[in-house]
């Protein structure tokens, strides 16, 4: 009898796993919050909160970008922008849509949420053996002088992914020191600052993120949007409407072909333009540890690696924010992690609860409160 009971439990577990729901390309089933074990009142309050707390910046994102980064030397728009829509979002539980608000099919800029997509192309390069280890110096792969010199030569892939590289130089006419410089300083202090040893200091910096994108282009030797489309977005049933842009002058010649090196955000325009539904599909892929139906699209090792806190910032992994360290949301599980972008764009992932929250154009400082409402706090 013990053996029979054990077999029953095994078959039950197997049946449960095989029945795990994945939305097909053109249809996404819904469930009420109660049907999947969530508090309907909590979900309703979270949706109402998102609608009532729209990002306060201009809907004309050209104006919002230029105003927000006006203190940066020579800041300007170098890539495409798009006027944004209003608040929108989805909440998924067990793969099903349990709440939606706003225009979830509208394609909008997503700013630094793009970094988490960029990180995904790095994970695929690791999975394919194009990069042997995140601890390898990038100079061993990109030998065109981008990582020359005593400082830059020490930078590893992990340093770039965790934004702790302190890479120094210029890329496509943009100086690293001019991106989010210290508020107390001057041109000379910014330009001739003392460099931090790679790995020892966290600094959110789009020029260095774009160095990662450029370096991955050298490794893949084909445009990163093509890699993302073929390996991730098409298999998860994403729409054909998303786009990933670089800057007007971020074109390189590679193997005799002109390719654009894309940006990891919309700091100067560009980045990924995408709808809410496609964001939710990516979030579900990560909530399922990289698996979609029967296919392991990106390794479980990678979905675990992205959640490893940087030594220099316990709130940051491999271009995903972690609900740990100084930026942790009070009262919420520390296993949550999320993609975050300017203007209040977020993809929140809870693997343990098989829960995904996507919200667009929420006042950024209110995200912890909004997520707390979903969890009944």
């Amino acid at each position: 009898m013990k053996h029979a009971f054990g077999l029953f439990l095994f078959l039950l577990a197997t049946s449960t796993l095989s029945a795990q729901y994945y939305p097909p390309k053109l249809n996404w089933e819904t469930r009420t919050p109660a049907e999947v074990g969530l508090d309907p009142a909590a979900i309703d309050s979270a949706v109402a909160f998102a609608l009532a707390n729209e990002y306060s910046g201009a809907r004309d994102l050209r104006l919002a970008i230029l105003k927000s980064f006006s203190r940066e030397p020579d800041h300007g728009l170098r890539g495409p922008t798009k006027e944004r829509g209003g608040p929108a979002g989805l909440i998924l539980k067990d793969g099903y849509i349990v709440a939606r608000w706003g225009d979830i099919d509208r394609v909008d800029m997503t700013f630094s949420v793009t970094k988490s997509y960029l990180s995904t192309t790095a994970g695929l390069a690791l999975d394919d053996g194009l990069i042997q280890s995140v601890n390898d110096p990038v100079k061993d792969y990109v030998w065109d002088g981008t990582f020359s010199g005593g400082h830059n030569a020490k930078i590893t892939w992990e340093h770039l992914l965790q934004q702790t590289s302190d890479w120094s130089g210029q890329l496509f006419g943009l100086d690293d020191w001019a991106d989010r410089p210290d508020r107390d300083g001057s041109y000379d202090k910014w330009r001739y600052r003392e460099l931090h040893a790679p790995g020892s200091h966290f600094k959110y910096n789009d020029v260095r993120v774009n160095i990662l994108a450029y370096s991955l282009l050298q490794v893949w030797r084909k445009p990163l949007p093509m890699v993302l489309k073929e390996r991730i977005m098409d298999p998860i049933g994403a729409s054909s409407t998303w786009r990933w842009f670089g800057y007007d002058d971020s074109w390189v010649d590679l193997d005799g072909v002109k390719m654009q090196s894309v940006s990891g955000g919309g700091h100067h325009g560009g980045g990924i333009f995408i709808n809410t539904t496609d964001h939710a599909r990516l979030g579900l892929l990560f909530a399922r540890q990289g698996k979609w139906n029967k296919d392991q699209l990106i390794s479980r090792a990678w979905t675990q690696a992205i959640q490893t806190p940087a030594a220099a910032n316990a709130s940051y992994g491999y271009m995903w924010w972690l609900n740990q360290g100084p930026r942790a949301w009070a009262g919420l599980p520390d296993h949550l992690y999320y993609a975050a972008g300017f203007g209040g764009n977020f993809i929140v992932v809870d693997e343990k609860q098989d829960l995904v929250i996507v919200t667009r154009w929420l006042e950024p400082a209110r995200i912890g409160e909004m997520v707390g409402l979903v969890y009944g706090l």
Side-chain angles (χ1 to χ4, degrees), residues 253-304:
D253 289 321
L254 193 59
D255 297 334
V257 179
K258 191 175 183 181
M259 302 180 192
Q260 190 177 43
S261 186
V262 289
S263 70
H267 192 90
H268 296 272
I272 288 181
F273 291 47
I274 195 168
N275 67 36
T276 304
T277 306
D278 288 345
H279 267 338
R281 287 179 179 271
L282 184 85
L284 182 59
L285 175 68
F286 278 86
R288 300 281 171 80
Q289 297 183 313
K291 189 175 183 181
W292 195 269
N293 289 312
K294 296 180 180 180
D295 298 320
Q296 194 72 42
L297 300 184
I298 192 165
S299 67
R300 289 190 177 187
W302 182 255
T303 65
Q304 293 168 355

Coordinates of all heavy atoms in Angstrom, one line a residue, residues 253-304:
D253 N 29.8 48.4 -38.0 CA 30.0 47.4 -39.0 C 30.5 46.2 -38.4 O 31.6 46.2 -37.7 CB 31.0 48.0 -40.1 CG 30.4 49.1 -40.9 OD1 29.2 49.0 -41.3 OD2 31.1 50.1 -41.2
L254 N 29.8 45.1 -38.6 CA 30.2 43.8 -38.0 C 30.1 42.7 -39.1 O 29.0 42.5 -39.6 CB 29.3 43.5 -36.8 CG 29.8 42.4 -35.9 CD1 31.2 42.7 -35.3 CD2 28.8 42.2 -34.7
D255 N 31.2 42.1 -39.4 CA 31.2 41.0 -40.4 C 30.7 41.5 -41.7 O 30.0 40.9 -42.5 CB 30.4 39.8 -40.0 CG 31.0 39.1 -38.7 OD1 32.2 39.3 -38.5 OD2 30.2 38.5 -38.0
G256 N 31.0 42.8 -42.0 CA 30.6 43.4 -43.3 C 29.1 43.9 -43.3 O 28.7 44.2 -44.4
V257 N 28.4 43.8 -42.2 CA 27.0 44.1 -42.1 C 26.8 45.3 -41.1 O 27.4 45.3 -40.1 CB 26.2 42.9 -41.7 CG1 24.7 43.3 -41.6 CG2 26.4 41.8 -42.6
K258 N 26.0 46.3 -41.5 CA 25.8 47.4 -40.6 C 24.7 47.0 -39.7 O 23.6 46.6 -40.1 CB 25.3 48.6 -41.5 CG 25.3 49.9 -40.7 CD 24.9 51.1 -41.6 CE 24.9 52.4 -40.9 NZ 24.6 53.5 -41.8
M259 N 25.0 47.1 -38.4 CA 24.0 46.7 -37.3 C 23.9 47.8 -36.3 O 24.9 48.5 -36.0 CB 24.5 45.4 -36.6 CG 24.7 44.2 -37.5 SD 25.2 42.7 -36.6 CE 25.7 41.6 -37.9
Q260 N 22.8 47.9 -35.7 CA 22.6 48.9 -34.6 C 22.9 48.3 -33.3 O 22.3 47.2 -32.9 CB 21.2 49.5 -34.6 CG 21.0 50.7 -33.7 CD 19.7 51.3 -33.8 OE1 18.7 50.6 -33.8 NE2 19.6 52.7 -33.8
S261 N 23.7 49.0 -32.5 CA 23.9 48.6 -31.1 C 22.8 49.2 -30.3 O 22.7 50.5 -30.2 CB 25.3 49.1 -30.6 OG 25.5 48.6 -29.3
V262 N 21.9 48.4 -29.7 CA 20.7 49.0 -29.1 C 21.1 49.5 -27.7 O 22.1 49.2 -27.1 CB 19.6 47.9 -28.9 CG1 19.1 47.6 -30.3 CG2 20.2 46.6 -28.3
S263 N 20.1 50.3 -27.2 CA 20.4 50.9 -25.8 C 19.6 50.1 -24.8 O 18.6 49.4 -25.1 CB 19.9 52.4 -25.8 OG 18.5 52.5 -25.9
G264 N 20.1 50.3 -23.5 CA 19.5 49.5 -22.4 C 18.4 50.4 -21.7 O 18.0 50.0 -20.6
G265 N 18.0 51.4 -22.3 CA 17.0 52.3 -21.7 C 16.6 53.4 -22.6 O 17.1 53.5 -23.7
G266 N 15.8 54.3 -22.1 CA 15.3 55.5 -22.8 C 15.9 56.8 -22.4 O 15.3 57.8 -22.6
H267 N 17.0 56.7 -21.7 CA 17.7 57.9 -21.1 C 17.9 59.0 -22.2 O 17.7 60.2 -21.9 CB 19.0 57.5 -20.5 CG 19.7 58.5 -19.7 ND1 19.5 58.5 -18.3 CD2 20.6 59.4 -20.0 CE1 20.2 59.5 -17.8 NE2 20.9 60.1 -18.8
H268 N 18.2 58.6 -23.4 CA 18.4 59.5 -24.5 C 17.4 59.2 -25.6 O 17.6 59.5 -26.8 CB 19.8 59.5 -25.0 CG 20.8 59.9 -24.1 ND1 21.2 61.3 -24.0 CD2 21.6 59.3 -23.2 CE1 22.2 61.4 -23.0 NE2 22.4 60.2 -22.5
G269 N 16.3 58.5 -25.3 CA 15.4 57.9 -26.3 C 15.8 56.5 -26.6 O 16.9 56.0 -26.1
G270 N 15.1 55.8 -27.4 CA 15.4 54.4 -27.7 C 15.0 53.5 -26.6 O 14.1 53.7 -25.8
G271 N 15.6 52.3 -26.6 CA 15.2 51.2 -25.8 C 14.0 50.4 -26.3 O 13.7 50.5 -27.5
I272 N 13.4 49.6 -25.5 CA 12.3 48.7 -26.0 C 11.0 49.5 -25.9 O 10.7 50.1 -24.8 CB 12.3 47.4 -25.2 CG1 13.4 46.5 -25.6 CG2 10.9 46.7 -25.4 CD1 13.5 45.2 -24.9
F273 N 10.2 49.5 -27.0 CA 8.9 50.0 -27.0 C 8.0 48.7 -27.1 O 8.1 47.9 -28.0 CB 8.6 50.8 -28.3 CG 9.4 52.1 -28.3 CD1 10.7 52.3 -28.0 CD2 8.7 53.3 -28.7 CE1 11.4 53.5 -28.0 CE2 9.3 54.5 -28.7 CZ 10.7 54.6 -28.4
I274 N 7.0 48.6 -26.2 CA 6.3 47.3 -26.0 C 5.0 47.5 -25.3 O 4.8 48.5 -24.6 CB 7.2 46.4 -25.2 CG1 6.8 44.9 -25.3 CG2 7.4 46.8 -23.7 CD1 7.8 43.9 -24.7
N275 N 4.1 46.5 -25.5 CA 2.8 46.7 -24.8 C 2.8 45.9 -23.5 O 3.8 45.1 -23.2 CB 1.6 46.2 -25.7 CG 1.6 44.7 -26.0 OD1 2.0 43.9 -25.2 ND2 1.2 44.4 -27.2
T276 N 1.8 46.1 -22.7 CA 1.7 45.5 -21.3 C 1.6 44.0 -21.4 O 2.2 43.3 -20.6 CB 0.5 46.1 -20.6 OG1 0.6 47.6 -20.6 CG2 0.4 45.6 -19.2
T277 N 0.9 43.5 -22.4 CA 0.7 42.1 -22.5 C 2.0 41.3 -22.7 O 2.3 40.3 -22.2 CB -0.3 41.8 -23.6 OG1 -1.5 42.5 -23.3 CG2 -0.7 40.3 -23.6
D278 N 2.8 41.9 -23.6 CA 4.1 41.3 -23.9 C 5.0 41.3 -22.7 O 5.8 40.3 -22.4 CB 4.8 42.0 -25.1 CG 4.1 41.7 -26.4 OD1 3.3 40.7 -26.5 OD2 4.4 42.4 -27.4
H279 N 5.0 42.4 -21.9 CA 5.7 42.4 -20.6 C 5.3 41.3 -19.7 O 6.1 40.6 -19.1 CB 5.4 43.7 -19.9 CG 6.4 44.8 -20.2 ND1 7.7 44.7 -20.6 CD2 6.3 46.2 -20.0 CE1 8.3 45.8 -20.7 NE2 7.5 46.8 -20.3
A280 N 4.0 41.1 -19.7 CA 3.4 40.0 -18.8 C 3.9 38.6 -19.2 O 4.2 37.8 -18.3 CB 1.9 40.1 -18.7
R281 N 4.0 38.4 -20.5 CA 4.5 37.1 -20.9 C 6.0 36.9 -20.5 O 6.3 35.8 -20.1 CB 4.4 37.0 -22.5 CG 2.9 36.8 -22.9 CD 2.8 36.7 -24.4 NE 1.4 36.6 -24.8 CZ 0.8 35.4 -25.0 NH1 1.5 34.3 -24.7 NH2 -0.4 35.3 -25.3
L282 N 6.8 37.9 -20.6 CA 8.2 37.8 -20.1 C 8.2 37.5 -18.6 O 8.9 36.7 -18.1 CB 9.0 39.1 -20.4 CG 10.5 38.9 -20.0 CD1 11.3 38.2 -21.1 CD2 11.1 40.2 -19.7
G283 N 7.3 38.3 -17.9 CA 7.3 38.1 -16.4 C 6.9 36.6 -16.1 O 7.5 36.0 -15.2
L284 N 5.9 36.1 -16.8 CA 5.5 34.7 -16.6 C 6.6 33.7 -16.9 O 6.8 32.7 -16.2 CB 4.3 34.4 -17.4 CG 3.7 33.0 -17.2 CD1 3.3 32.8 -15.8 CD2 2.5 32.8 -18.2
L285 N 7.4 34.0 -18.0 CA 8.5 33.1 -18.3 C 9.5 33.0 -17.1 O 10.0 32.0 -16.7 CB 9.3 33.6 -19.5 CG 10.5 32.9 -19.9 CD1 10.3 31.5 -20.3 CD2 11.3 33.6 -21.0
F286 N 9.8 34.2 -16.5 CA 10.7 34.2 -15.4 C 10.1 33.6 -14.1 O 10.7 33.0 -13.3 CB 11.3 35.6 -15.2 CG 12.4 35.9 -16.1 CD1 12.2 36.3 -17.4 CD2 13.7 35.6 -15.7 CE1 13.3 36.6 -18.2 CE2 14.8 35.8 -16.6 CZ 14.6 36.3 -17.8
A287 N 8.8 33.8 -13.9 CA 8.1 33.2 -12.8 C 8.1 31.7 -12.9 O 8.1 31.0 -11.8 CB 6.6 33.7 -12.7
R288 N 8.2 31.2 -14.1 CA 8.3 29.8 -14.3 C 9.8 29.3 -14.5 O 10.0 28.2 -15.1 CB 7.5 29.4 -15.5 CG 6.0 29.7 -15.4 CD 5.2 28.8 -14.6 NE 3.9 29.2 -14.2 CZ 2.8 29.1 -15.0 NH1 3.0 28.6 -16.3 NH2 1.6 29.4 -14.6
Q289 N 10.7 30.1 -14.1 CA 12.1 29.8 -14.1 C 12.7 29.5 -15.5 O 13.5 28.6 -15.6 CB 12.4 28.6 -13.1 CG 12.1 29.0 -11.6 CD 12.5 27.9 -10.7 OE1 12.1 26.7 -10.9 NE2 13.1 28.2 -9.6
G290 N 12.2 30.3 -16.4 CA 12.7 30.1 -17.8 C 12.1 29.1 -18.6 O 12.5 28.9 -19.8
K291 N 11.0 28.5 -18.2 CA 10.4 27.4 -18.9 C 9.0 27.9 -19.5 O 8.3 28.6 -18.8 CB 10.1 26.2 -18.0 CG 9.6 25.0 -18.8 CD 9.5 23.8 -17.8 CE 9.1 22.5 -18.6 NZ 9.0 21.3 -17.7
W292 N 8.8 27.5 -20.7 CA 7.5 27.8 -21.4 C 7.0 26.6 -22.0 O 7.5 26.0 -22.9 CB 7.7 28.9 -22.5 CG 6.4 29.5 -22.9 CD1 5.6 29.1 -23.9 CD2 5.8 30.7 -22.3 NE1 4.5 30.0 -24.0 CE2 4.6 30.9 -23.0 CE3 6.1 31.5 -21.2 CZ2 3.7 31.9 -22.7 CZ3 5.2 32.5 -20.9 CH2 4.0 32.8 -21.6
N293 N 5.8 26.1 -21.5 CA 5.3 24.8 -21.8 C 6.4 23.8 -21.6 O 6.9 23.7 -20.5 CB 4.8 24.8 -23.3 CG 3.5 25.5 -23.4 OD1 2.6 25.4 -22.6 ND2 3.4 26.4 -24.4
K294 N 6.8 23.0 -22.6 CA 7.8 22.0 -22.3 C 9.2 22.4 -22.6 O 10.2 21.7 -22.5 CB 7.5 20.7 -23.2 CG 6.2 20.1 -22.9 CD 5.9 18.9 -23.7 CE 4.6 18.2 -23.4 NZ 4.3 17.0 -24.3
D295 N 9.4 23.7 -23.1 CA 10.7 24.2 -23.5 C 11.4 25.0 -22.5 O 10.8 26.0 -21.9 CB 10.5 25.0 -24.8 CG 10.0 24.1 -25.9 OD1 10.4 23.0 -26.0 OD2 9.1 24.6 -26.7
Q296 N 12.6 24.7 -22.1 CA 13.4 25.5 -21.2 C 14.1 26.6 -22.1 O 15.2 26.4 -22.7 CB 14.5 24.7 -20.5 CG 15.1 25.4 -19.3 CD 14.2 25.6 -18.1 OE1 13.4 24.6 -17.8 NE2 14.2 26.7 -17.5
L297 N 13.5 27.8 -22.2 CA 14.0 28.8 -23.1 C 15.3 29.5 -22.6 O 16.1 29.8 -23.4 CB 12.9 29.9 -23.3 CG 11.6 29.4 -23.9 CD1 10.7 30.6 -24.2 CD2 11.8 28.6 -25.2
I298 N 15.4 29.6 -21.4 CA 16.6 30.1 -20.8 C 16.8 29.3 -19.5 O 15.8 28.9 -18.8 CB 16.5 31.6 -20.5 CG1 17.9 32.2 -20.2 CG2 15.5 32.0 -19.5 CD1 17.9 33.7 -20.3
S299 N 18.0 29.0 -19.1 CA 18.3 28.1 -18.1 C 17.8 28.5 -16.7 O 17.8 29.7 -16.4 CB 19.8 27.8 -18.0 OG 20.5 28.9 -17.6
R300 N 17.5 27.5 -15.9 CA 17.1 27.8 -14.5 C 18.3 28.4 -13.8 O 18.2 29.2 -12.9 CB 16.7 26.6 -13.8 CG 15.3 26.1 -14.3 CD 14.8 25.0 -13.4 NE 13.4 24.6 -13.8 CZ 12.7 23.7 -13.2 NH1 13.1 23.2 -12.0 NH2 11.5 23.4 -13.6
A301 N 19.5 28.0 -14.2 CA 20.7 28.6 -13.6 C 20.7 30.1 -13.8 O 21.1 30.8 -12.9 CB 22.0 27.9 -14.2
W302 N 20.3 30.5 -14.9 CA 20.3 32.0 -15.2 C 19.2 32.7 -14.4 O 19.5 33.8 -13.8 CB 20.1 32.3 -16.7 CG 20.2 33.7 -16.9 CD1 19.2 34.6 -17.2 CD2 21.4 34.6 -16.9 NE1 19.6 35.9 -17.4 CE2 20.9 35.9 -17.2 CE3 22.7 34.3 -16.6 CZ2 21.8 37.0 -17.2 CZ3 23.6 35.4 -16.6 CH2 23.1 36.7 -16.9
T303 N 18.0 32.1 -14.3 CA 17.0 32.8 -13.5 C 17.3 32.8 -12.1 O 16.8 33.7 -11.3 CB 15.6 32.1 -13.7 OG1 15.6 30.7 -13.2 CG2 15.2 32.0 -15.2
Q304 N 18.2 32.0 -11.6 CA 18.7 32.0 -10.2 C 19.8 33.1 -10.1 O 19.8 33.8 -9.2 CB 19.1 30.7 -9.8 CG 18.0 29.7 -9.6 CD 18.5 28.2 -9.4 OE1 19.7 28.0 -9.5 NE2 17.6 27.3 -9.2

